[in-house]
């Protein structure tokens, strides 16, 4: 399953993700020195979770995410806990 890394992460941290968790994603395009580039902004909502636990989960998930790994250093990514 494509969710396997995340499921393993949640279980290893003994975290239950809220059923009403949500991510609002925005992708921007604009000029960079060598043409055009993109940037991603993710507003992450984890209602009812302790903010420190939620932020740690977001930061850790960003390290194992295949999309993050594929784009790390190539695009600007902003992760915000809302």
């Amino acid at each position: 399953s494509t969710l396997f890394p995340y499921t393993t992460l949640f279980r290893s941290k003994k975290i239950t993700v809220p059923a009403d968790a949500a991510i609002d994603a925005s992708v921007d395009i604009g000029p960079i020195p060598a043409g055009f580039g993109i940037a991603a902004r993710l507003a992450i909502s984890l209602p009812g979770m302790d903010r420190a636990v939620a932020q740690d989960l977001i930061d850790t998930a960003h390290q194992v995410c295949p999309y993050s790994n594929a784009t790390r250093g190539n695009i600007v990514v902003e992760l915000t806990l809302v």
Side-chain angles (χ1 to χ4, degrees), residues 2-3 39 55 65:
T2 58
L3 292 178
Q55 188 63 57
C65 172

Side-chain angles (χ1 to χ4, degrees), residues 54-77:
Q55 188 63 57
D56 179 61
L57 179 63
I58 291 166
D59 294 341
T60 304
H62 184 51
Q63 293 305 307
V64 300
C65 172
Y67 292 104
S68 295
N69 288 331
T71 60
R72 188 168 286 114
N74 296 317
I75 69 170
V76 174
V77 177

